[in-house]
Amino acid sequence: MNNAPTIPQSATGETSSPAPAWHSLSADDAIREQGSDARGGLSAAEAAARLLRVGPNTLTAREGRSWWAALGSQFVAVLVWLLLVAAGVSAVLGEWVDAGVIAAIIIINAVIGASQEFSAERSIAALRGMTAPKARVVRGGVVAVVPAAEIVPGDVLVLEAGDLVAADARLIESASLAAIEKSLTGESEPAEKDAGAVSPSPPVDTPLAERSGMVYSGTAIATGTARAVVVATGMQTEMGRIAALIAGAESDGPTPLQVRLARVGRLLVIAALFIVAALFGIGLVRGEPLLELSMTAVSMAVAAVPEGLPAIVTVALALGVRRMARRRALIRHLPAVETLGATSVICTDKTGTLTVGQMTARALVVSGAGDGGAAGGTLAMLDVSGEGYAPEGAVTAQGKELSAGAGAAVMRLARNLAGVNNASVMEEKGRWVASGDPTEAAMLIAAAKVGLKREALDEGSPRLAEAPFDSDRKRAAVVRRSADGADVLVNGSPESVLALCTQIAEADGSRSMTAADRAAIDAANADLASKGLRVLACAARTVPQGEVAATVADPSPASLERDLTFVGLVGLLDPPRAEAREAVAKCKAAPASAW
């Protein structure tokens, strides 16, 4: 099936008829609408023909104004016109210093405003960098790697963990799939995806964050594998819509400061005209020479113009833009920064705005610590300091910092945190960033804070097999080599993991889990959850040397996830920004706008 899709697109992003709500169609219907084939994809010839018809899979934006147009727009204010007149009159009167100073102020004001607009345009253009440079697609039944710009509607994408999605696509196959959609939805947690999910049809449209059967351009695959048929490319994607909205954003009118400056400019013009008329009239009555009288009247009018006002306003706005830029806020036009002072309602997202946007381990509950800890019984509650993905901070027990490698119980839990993990954390340009599931990245850093790095774990206890995370099981399992044979490490939701535990870890081994143990674990879980933490449980099982080969040969959940020993809990959250509390307090205390 290599027919043209029924919803043709043009290279300019226009469509001949409204596109379907792809998330409301089944995978088979989406394939049929796009005239493609789930197994064979498009032929090379058909893909080339569609590329000519729809254009490249790139983000384009309306061409911005030229440098001279942006510079010219800085001279439209009444006050600037008045200063131009003042500079001209000063030059005519021979006051070259005054004329030069006024002209310099006008030019500096214009250059700063134009430069800010061009800087913002470059930031908007950076959105184009969020598309994948290459992608794997099925062409003629063969998986091929092609430039992302050559992806067309109807192509079948092949996706796996770590891939950047090259275009908006409807899933047709998926296995334990989760995608990081923070760039579109703001949610730091990966969104679970399922090819079988079909959203309700419009007019009851489904929010983008809940479209489980779709993957979107510019997002990343956190876990699992999938195949998906491309339904939108370039400016027709959700990322393209954002780029178009930003590029097309225009002010509804002048800002409050611009209104007041225009009002001041008009008043100054009126005052100058009144001064000229009054002095001219008085001079005529007194019989003053006409030329001398004219020059005196004009000089007085020029003196009434505050030539320093535009410079002061421009410098103040430029400083405001600079402060906003340090916080990664995009200000396209210089006067726009002033509108923050006239704000009466603030609508804010939580993730990445009020919060850091990075998952962080805040508490550990270890089994077998032997000190009775805050959780009761054989459980001990540990606090974890530090923020985000930087490997900075410490693990403390009752206020005492644990040294690296201290405590068998803590290291046993750390083995789970680092061992059942596919994320990676690295430093880029002075910032620590994570690749993969944010929750796994946070657990990786928590393990490093007690002295266990995944690199060392991989070297001494290599991974042999795994059962990936599944949304139905709500857990993941990994088999790692150990001195006694192998260890099955399992992480997941407390309910799903505890249901498989028959033992509980102790300082010198393990013992059968009792009802009292389960009650203590449930209480610790509830305590962490009441603090707003996301809680995961960790468990393990030792595989004797003689059973390792059979276990690796059959890494199914049923084979791995049984007769587990409870190891501990980890509580995670996306912490609030340090400045968030103060910022909210300042907003509440701010006086009502006078505009």
Side-chain angles (χ1 to χ4, degrees), residues 461-521:
S461 183
R463 181 184 301 213
L464 302 178
E466 72 173 309
F469 177 84
D470 181 86
S471 57
D472 293 329
R473 292 167 31 241
K474 298 182 179 179
R475 56 185 179 268
V478 168
V479 181
R480 286 187 174 272
R481 176 71 67 184
S482 69
D484 300 324
D487 290 331
V488 176
L489 309 177
V490 179
N491 292 348
S493 69
E495 297 79 8
S496 68
V497 172
L498 282 176
L500 302 173
C501 290
T502 58
Q503 305 281 312
I504 185 168
E506 286 195 308
D508 56 354
S510 64
R511 60 172 173 79
S512 297
M513 182 178 288
T514 66
D517 293 325
R518 293 186 184 276
I521 295 170

Side-chain angles (χ1 to χ4, degrees), residues 148-289:
E150 297 179 8
I151 300 295
V152 296
D155 265 327
V156 175
L157 298 176
V158 180
L159 303 169
E160 63 181 29
D163 286 349
L164 199 62
V165 182
D168 290 2
R170 176 64 170 89
L171 292 171
I172 53 180
E173 296 178 8
S174 64
S176 304
L177 190 69
I180 301 173
E181 298 182 335
K182 183 165 57 175
S183 57
L184 290 176
T185 66
E187 294 298 328
S188 59
E189 285 294 312
E192 295 181 2
K193 298 293 183 177
D194 181 6
V198 178
S199 303
S201 299
V204 184
D205 202 7
T206 304
L208 188 145
E210 299 175 13
R211 299 176 185 176
S212 301
M214 297 285 296
V215 288
Y216 293 99
S217 174
T219 64
I221 303 302
T223 61
T225 59
R227 288 196 178 202
V229 60
V230 174
V231 297
T233 59
M235 295 301 288
Q236 294 297 311
T237 64
E238 293 294 331
M239 192 64 71
R241 289 182 57 198
I242 294 175
L245 287 172
I246 294 176
E250 296 292 343
S251 172
D252 292 332
T255 68
L257 182 60
Q258 288 174 317
V259 170
R260 287 210 164 187
L261 288 176
R263 188 184 306 160
V264 169
R266 287 194 298 270
L267 290 175
L268 288 174
V269 170
I270 294 172
L273 292 176
F274 177 78
I275 291 171
V276 170
L279 289 177
F280 200 80
I282 294 172
L284 287 177
V285 171
R286 295 179 59 181
E288 298 288 343

Side-chain angles (χ1 to χ4, degrees), residues 327-474:
R327 291 162 172 77
R328 298 181 178 85
L330 178 64
I331 306 295
R332 190 172 190 181
H333 298 293
L334 198 63
V337 70
E338 173 270 333
T339 59
L340 292 173
T343 298
S344 57
V345 176
I346 298 176
C347 300
T348 179
D349 180 41
K350 176 181 71 69
T351 304
T353 305
L354 295 178
T355 66
V356 176
Q358 299 177 341
M359 293 298 289
T360 302
R362 275 285 179 259
L364 304 177
V365 174
V366 296
S367 176
D371 60 3
T378 63
L379 306 181
M381 185 79 76
L382 310 177
D383 296 319
V384 185
S385 64
E387 186 176 283
Y389 302 133
E392 301 167 354
V395 177
T396 57
Q398 299 178 348
K400 182 180 179 181
E401 183 175 333
L402 301 181
S403 59
V410 177
M411 296 307 294
R412 185 164 49 222
L413 177 59
R415 184 176 171 84
N416 265 70
L417 299 180
V420 190
N421 205 306
N422 293 305
S424 61
V425 179
M426 64 197 73
E427 187 176 13
E428 293 182 357
K429 298 180 180 179
R431 296 180 63 244
W432 288 90
V433 296
S435 174
D437 190 321
T439 297
E440 291 188 355
M443 294 193 294
L444 198 63
I445 294 302
K449 289 177 182 178
V450 296
L452 180 62
K453 295 185 177 181
R454 218 238 324 266
E455 294 79 3
L457 181 63
D458 288 341
E459 182 177 348
S461 183
R463 181 184 301 213
L464 302 178
E466 72 173 309
F469 177 84
D470 181 86
S471 57
D472 293 329
R473 292 167 31 241
K474 298 182 179 179

Side-chain angles (χ1 to χ4, degrees), residues 126-149:
L127 272 174
R128 301 176 188 177
M130 296 187 68
T131 54
K134 291 185 180 296
R136 284 173 297 151
V137 299
V138 180
R139 292 274 173 91
V142 178
V143 177
V145 177
V146 302

